[in-house]
Amino acid sequence: MRYQYLDARLRQAFDDAGLVRGQRALLQGVLRALDPDAHLGEHVAGLNSAFLAVTRARTALESHAAEDQPRWNLLRRIIATSLACVDAAKPAYAHGGALELARARRVLVQVDAAIAADGQKLDPRVTAAAAARLDPRALREAVRRWVAPLWNGVELPLRARMIAEVAVVVAVHGRDGGQLRADLLRWLRKPDGDLGRVLWPQRRRHVVAFVVGGARVLRHLDELLPQARQEPLHRGRLPRDDFLKDAVTGSSVLVRLPVSAADVRTAALRGRRVLNEVLDQYAAGERLTELRIAPVWQVSGPGGRVTRGTEHRRTVNNAYPLTAYWPAELRSAMRVANLARQVDAPMASAGLAWSALEATGLDPGKIAWLAKACALQMLRQHLVSLHVVVTNHDSELRKPLDARVPTTGVKHHLRSVDAWLEVLVRHQRPDEQLRAAQDAVTALAENEGGLVQDLVELWRSRLADSASLANWLREQEGTTAAVLEWLYVTRNLAFHAGRFASPADVLTAHAGQAVTDLTLEFLGNWRTVERQRNLSETSAVEVYRRLAQRHDQLVARLTRAGSVRRLSVEDISGPDEKWWSRGTG
């Protein structure tokens, strides 16, 4: 089951607890945002968030004041994208935190004016003072208080914005999605307690144990990690049923270290990060030895309860390449993108994600082009994702929809995204089959309730008003531009300034991988179409430029058209200019 926030066990728990639609949407929305399989724009790392924008701006200002990194011109771009995110998130703060948000915005506007006036002569004392006046914690505390109004009922589309901000604050607190789901299932047996304590439990001491292969003893570990303890492991001396049996191959040592975390799985993740950073020392000191952490882990919680697990690795029956041939220009990008996924250190992973994009020809001056290109691909991606969640539970209800919108394979992949779009768009006089399909979507959404019903209403509303859809595209562009600018800053901090940690760096790493994956997806499709037609390859930078131009043309068309009846998303990020051709025969 890929979408665990929609599985039968959770639905039954909602039913047993008597949750209404908005309450289900809140819990499902947070769980979806923490799902590592969620794509860009659904995952917490790619959601618009004023809290995250202010956090990044403060980090950039502090770093500039201390190290002159990022430089003044890049710093100004960070401030500009942060302001865009703050303005987009402003409606959500009507339920609390409006004054704190306005205060943060004034600081950003003032420091932007100072950068514009002084340029490279910008006094670091100015950025230090601005950083001191920015207070992301005030926004965080305001967002935590939103749980009560959301639980009692907030209307769409404001509910969706507020849930996104809540999810970001939950993620930054350090919550694993799978662990949160398990905690919510327990809480739902008696849901009259404080939901905030489930979303943001107190961070407590956990002891995490890992097996390090490649050595029997790590000398001076007690000096590098004073609270860590180690024990040499010998495979032949372990009990036959010991969970470490398969992890011990050759010289190995068991390392236990304390970690402060909100839940067990987050403790395991943070412990692995700390231990990996320590192993950098030993890797440098023992250049002929490969030290590695086994995927298994054990965590002893505050109450003494022991939890064991294995680092999650997704598998598939059939693995497919990006393209069925070698696109020369993308080989370096694919190599670096793959390395970014394998690196545990978030700052390094984020820096490599930027390097993967840079390998396609991207530079900071072309970030706006790529952000617009990604917004187009995200439109298509969101619509495909909506079909997946609407038809998640196969039943008699979906038959009229399947008749109008055919799918293929056991996973019911769409044969035509435009056919699905046609069902979502409002029609004055729909034919009998189309009306039946639209009624089926309504019935499926009502049957699921919660988040799915919210998503169907949100997308029907956006597609009923072309100006609303244009605004959505602009917001995705702005959010992606903020991610890309911050990726570039993170790369500079990691590779030039030697920083190995930064606030919310785990989200930055995930966002970097997601943007890279999305970019390679539409570049790979573009290359495939060109090869099928025996055309010469268009450079990646030229693809970005053309898609950015297409984005601007589409936004302008939507703003004045009053209707999306001719919008086509089937090949919206491909080489053909068919984005306004639906229904033209």
Side-chain angles (χ1 to χ4, degrees):
M1 176 64 196
R2 181 178 178 186
Y3 298 105
Q4 291 193 356
Y5 55 90
L6 297 177
D7 72 359
R9 186 180 177 193
L10 200 59
R11 294 174 76 209
Q12 187 61 53
F14 291 160
D15 292 341
D16 294 343
L19 301 194
V20 298
R21 173 180 163 183
Q23 294 167 345
R24 295 174 187 238
L26 168 60
L27 302 186
Q28 289 176 319
V30 172
L31 289 175
R32 180 182 73 157
L34 297 182
D35 186 342
D37 290 333
H39 61 65
L40 189 68
E42 290 182 346
H43 189 272
V44 63
L47 297 175
N48 184 75
S49 165
F51 164 71
L52 191 56
V54 172
T55 299
R56 288 171 173 169
R58 181 181 181 181
T59 302
L61 289 165
E62 288 175 336
S63 181
H64 177 272
E67 304 169 3
D68 195 27
Q69 189 67 250
R71 300 301 303 276
W72 68 274
N73 49 351
L74 177 54
L75 178 63
R76 191 178 187 198
R77 296 205 302 271
I78 292 297
I79 299 301
T81 54
S82 296
L83 276 168
C85 291
V86 164
D87 289 343
K90 181 180 177 181
Y93 281 80
H95 280 271
L99 292 177
E100 291 85 347
L101 187 69
R103 190 177 301 120
R105 190 183 190 282
R106 283 197 297 272
V107 174
L108 293 175
V109 169
Q110 289 166 3
V111 76
D112 179 68
I115 299 172
D118 298 338
Q120 60 183 352
K121 296 180 181 179
L122 179 66
D123 191 333
R125 290 175 295 183
V126 172
T127 52
R133 291 165 58 202
L134 283 177
D135 188 7
R137 293 172 299 179
L139 299 180
R140 179 192 66 194
E141 294 309 311
V143 172
R144 287 186 177 189
R145 293 191 293 270
W146 292 357
V147 172
L150 281 168
W151 195 253
N152 295 325
V154 174
E155 295 299 317
L156 285 175
L158 191 57
R159 178 163 70 229
R161 283 195 176 278
M162 293 176 68
I163 291 172
E165 196 79 73
V166 168
V168 171
V169 175
V170 169
V172 172
H173 183 71
R175 273 305 240 151
D176 174 82
Q179 187 70 54
L180 176 57
R181 178 180 174 276
D183 292 344
L184 284 172
L185 283 170
R186 284 191 291 271
W187 178 79
L188 285 167
R189 296 170 190 164
K190 191 178 179 182
D192 55 349
D194 184 3
L195 177 57
R197 292 183 180 179
V198 183
L199 298 175
W200 300 286
Q202 183 180 359
R203 295 188 181 99
R204 298 191 291 173
R205 186 178 185 271
H206 298 71
V207 177
V208 190
F210 296 103
V211 175
V212 177
R216 284 268 163 79
V217 177
L218 299 172
R219 295 292 182 183
H220 304 294
L221 181 65
D222 57 340
E223 297 175 49
L224 297 170
L225 282 177
Q227 293 182 303
R229 299 293 179 265
Q230 60 178 310
E231 174 187 340
L233 293 174
H234 302 270
R235 184 176 178 83
R237 298 178 188 175
L238 291 172
R240 187 166 295 181
D241 60 346
D242 196 291
F243 89 105
L244 297 176
K245 195 77 174 179
D246 294 333
V248 179
T249 55
S251 297
S252 301
V253 57
L254 180 67
V255 177
R256 294 185 177 90
L257 63 152
V259 176
S260 177
D263 59 52
V264 168
R265 293 184 183 276
T266 301
L269 180 66
R270 289 183 173 175
R272 183 176 295 274
R273 176 175 178 176
V274 170
L275 188 53
N276 264 315
E277 290 169 0
V278 170
L279 291 184
D280 291 342
Q281 275 266 28
Y282 292 92
E286 295 285 346
R287 63 183 180 84
L288 300 180
T289 300
E290 181 184 356
L291 299 174
R292 61 197 178 280
I293 304 176
V296 297
W297 50 263
Q298 176 177 288
V299 177
S300 299
R305 181 179 179 181
V306 174
T307 304
R308 293 168 177 169
T310 303
E311 189 178 2
H312 176 67
R313 298 289 187 190
R314 284 213 47 188
T315 60
V316 294
N317 288 330
N318 298 289
Y320 292 91
L322 179 69
T323 62
Y325 73 102
W326 284 109
E329 190 188 36
L330 299 185
R331 293 187 72 165
S332 295
M334 289 189 288
R335 178 86 282 257
V336 181
N338 192 21
L339 290 174
R341 295 187 191 93
Q342 299 173 33
V343 174
D344 284 324
M347 292 281 284
S349 177
L352 286 170
W354 171 265
S355 296
L357 295 171
E358 197 172 42
T360 68
L362 183 71
D363 62 52
K366 299 180 179 65
I367 281 177
W369 287 358
L370 180 55
K372 291 175 180 180
C374 286
L376 290 179
Q377 182 70 357
M378 287 168 68
L379 173 58
R380 186 183 189 280
Q381 209 173 50
H382 273 258
L383 291 173
V384 172
S385 176
L386 180 62
H387 182 269
V388 172
V389 298
V390 165
T391 58
N392 183 58
H393 291 102
D394 198 355
S395 67
E396 292 294 315
L397 291 176
R398 62 177 290 169
K399 286 185 177 180
L401 178 60
D402 288 342
R404 181 76 185 199
V405 184
T407 57
T408 182
V410 294
K411 294 185 178 180
H412 303 286
H413 288 149
L414 283 169
R415 290 186 178 178
S416 169
V417 186
D418 281 350
W420 169 232
L421 176 62
E422 187 75 8
V423 171
L424 294 174
V425 173
R426 187 180 301 162
H427 295 262
Q428 294 293 334
R429 298 182 183 85
D431 59 46
E432 185 176 344
Q433 187 189 48
L434 178 57
R435 185 186 297 278
Q438 292 176 328
D439 291 343
V441 172
T442 301
L444 285 163
E446 291 176 350
N447 184 53
E448 282 286 353
L451 179 64
V452 175
Q453 197 168 1
D454 277 10
L455 290 172
V456 169
E457 287 194 16
L458 280 170
W459 276 104
R460 280 177 164 172
S461 174
R462 289 170 186 148
L463 295 171
D465 178 8
S466 59
S468 174
L469 183 60
N471 289 334
W472 183 87
L473 281 167
R474 289 192 195 97
E475 184 170 342
Q476 304 315 304
E477 173 200 345
T479 305
T480 306
V483 167
L484 289 167
E485 295 285 9
W486 189 246
L487 271 183
Y488 184 54
V489 168
T490 302
R491 174 258 199 185
N492 290 347
L493 293 178
F495 296 162
H496 295 322
R499 294 271 292 272
F500 63 90
S502 179
D505 53 13
V506 174
L507 296 191
T508 303
H510 189 104
Q513 294 171 25
V515 172
T516 304
D517 289 344
L518 187 75
T519 302
L520 289 174
E521 180 181 299
F522 68 72
L523 287 177
N525 175 66
W526 193 293
R527 293 283 183 272
T528 299
V529 172
E530 287 181 331
R531 186 173 179 85
Q532 289 171 347
R533 299 175 182 175
N534 293 318
L535 301 174
S536 58
E537 289 188 352
T538 305
S539 71
V541 171
E542 177 61 15
V543 172
Y544 301 155
R545 188 195 68 79
R546 287 174 57 179
L547 288 180
Q549 184 181 53
R550 184 180 303 174
H551 170 277
D552 291 343
Q553 291 171 343
L554 175 57
V555 167
R557 184 71 62 91
L558 289 170
T559 302
R560 65 175 183 267
S563 169
V564 299
R565 287 298 307 277
R566 295 189 63 187
L567 171 65
S568 173
V569 297
E570 189 67 43
D571 302 301
I572 198 167
S573 53
D576 295 323
E577 298 287 343
K578 296 181 178 179
W579 49 273
W580 203 252
S581 61
R582 188 166 56 92
T584 60

